[in-house]
Amino acid sequence: AQSVTQPDIHITVSEGASLELRCNYSYGATPYLFWYVQSPGQGLQLLLKYFSGDTLVQGIKGFEAEFKRSQSSFNLRKPSVHWSDAAEYFCAVGVMRGSQGNLIFGKGTKLSVKP
Amino acid sequence: EPEVTQTPSHQVTQMGQEVILRCVPISNHLYFYWYRQILGQKVEFLVSFYNNEISEKSEIFDDQFSVERPDGSNFTLKIRSTKLEDSAMYFCASSYQGNTIYFGEGSWLTVV
């Protein structure tokens, strides 16, 4: 069965430090992979996505993620975290049925940023 | 930037009452979805809708739930007789091609 694992429930980093949020997936075919961010009281905003091609994808707000098929991972990175990045981050895999996909989400990683 | 809008942002309802959550998807999108997130749990797929019919639904989406696209712009989720366990954040989402899904800000439903 398809699944997404985000091993870190809560991470705290200092402002200006680098960030890596881990995501592992289980999916039988080539996955469509996504990262979403949810700020307090807000909806889910798409940060970036991977469908095919270059395994390093760039997203909004200075985030990037790297798809590693051999490790079934799609980790999210940012070289220098800003206080406004404090939020909850969700990794998701798109389960495609024909042309349409539904998303299976991980449990999320809450990011706190300390000054 | 186009966005998915949802109303209400928060609703409190008595157990057993009917609730309708409303959504305006992004205007040129063709695929519509409802997801929910119970507090502290994963975001879960409920239903997808394409070409004026349900294309897929999860086990959660039982006979208590229904969706409708009553006109060219709105997409609604109805819960016929709410239960305490229906308390959750409900996200509407839409997609143009069915692969990249954009979410609204959610509607908090509290059943008391």
Side-chain angles (χ1 to χ4, degrees):
Chain A
Q2 304 92 349
S3 65
V4 176
T5 302
Q6 293 180 247
D8 304 305
I9 297 172
H10 191 182
I11 284 182
T12 300
V13 300
S14 297
E15 191 167 16
S18 64
L19 171 71
E20 183 169 26
L21 302 181
R22 296 183 291 164
C23 172
N24 292 95
Y25 67 89
S26 172
Y27 186 59
T30 300
Y32 286 22
L33 294 162
F34 305 82
W35 276 98
Y36 287 85
V37 60
Q38 185 179 28
S39 298
Q42 302 294 310
L44 294 163
Q45 182 181 22
L46 179 65
L47 278 178
L48 48 77
K49 61 187 180 186
Y50 170 78
F51 288 172
S52 64
D54 192 345
T55 56
L56 183 63
V57 292
Q58 303 297 318
I60 62 171
K61 305 185 181 188
F63 285 92
E64 66 178 28
E66 186 171 12
F67 170 57
K68 292 186 178 179
R69 184 187 300 276
S70 61
Q71 299 176 20
S72 297
S73 69
F74 188 56
N75 294 349
L76 182 71
R77 301 194 294 248
K78 186 169 184 179
S80 178
V81 168
H82 188 261
W83 64 266
S84 60
D85 294 325
E88 191 151 21
Y89 292 80
F90 294 92
C91 182
V93 63
V95 178
M96 300 303 295
R97 310 225 193 286
S99 62
Q100 182 183 324
N102 298 323
L103 298 174
I104 294 174
F105 283 86
K107 287 188 173 182
T109 298
K110 185 175 180 181
L111 173 66
S112 297
V113 180
K114 57 184 182 181
Chain B
E1 182 180 319
E3 57 183 24
V4 177
T5 57
Q6 292 185 239
T7 55
S9 55
H10 191 190
Q11 182 162 353
V12 180
T13 190
Q14 297 271 345
M15 191 168 53
Q17 294 297 303
E18 176 183 284
V19 161
I20 297 176
L21 305 178
R22 292 182 166 79
C23 168
V24 178
I26 295 172
S27 63
N28 65 338
H29 282 190
L30 303 175
Y31 299 85
F32 313 110
Y33 310 84
W34 285 99
Y35 285 74
R36 80 171 184 190
Q37 183 182 28
I38 294 173
L39 192 63
Q41 297 188 24
K42 291 185 182 185
V43 178
E44 302 172 291
F45 166 73
L46 291 178
V47 65
S48 58
F49 192 87
Y50 172 71
N51 201 24
N52 286 318
E53 62 183 17
I54 290 174
S55 47
E56 189 170 357
K57 59 184 180 179
S58 72
E59 293 173 353
I60 304 167
F61 194 87
D62 61 22
D63 293 343
Q64 292 283 80
F65 292 91
S66 62
V67 290
E68 198 175 41
R69 188 157 162 81
D71 52 42
S73 58
N74 291 285
F75 181 52
T76 62
L77 174 70
K78 182 193 289 186
I79 309 174
R80 263 182 266 285
S81 178
T82 49
K83 303 186 281 265
L84 294 176
E85 54 265 39
D86 294 326
S87 295
M89 174 77 96
Y90 287 82
F91 291 106
C92 178
S94 69
S95 174
Y96 176 63
Q97 290 181 307
N99 47 24
T100 303
I101 298 175
Y102 296 90
F103 287 82
E105 294 203 345
S107 294
W108 267 115
L109 175 65
T110 302
V111 182
V112 297

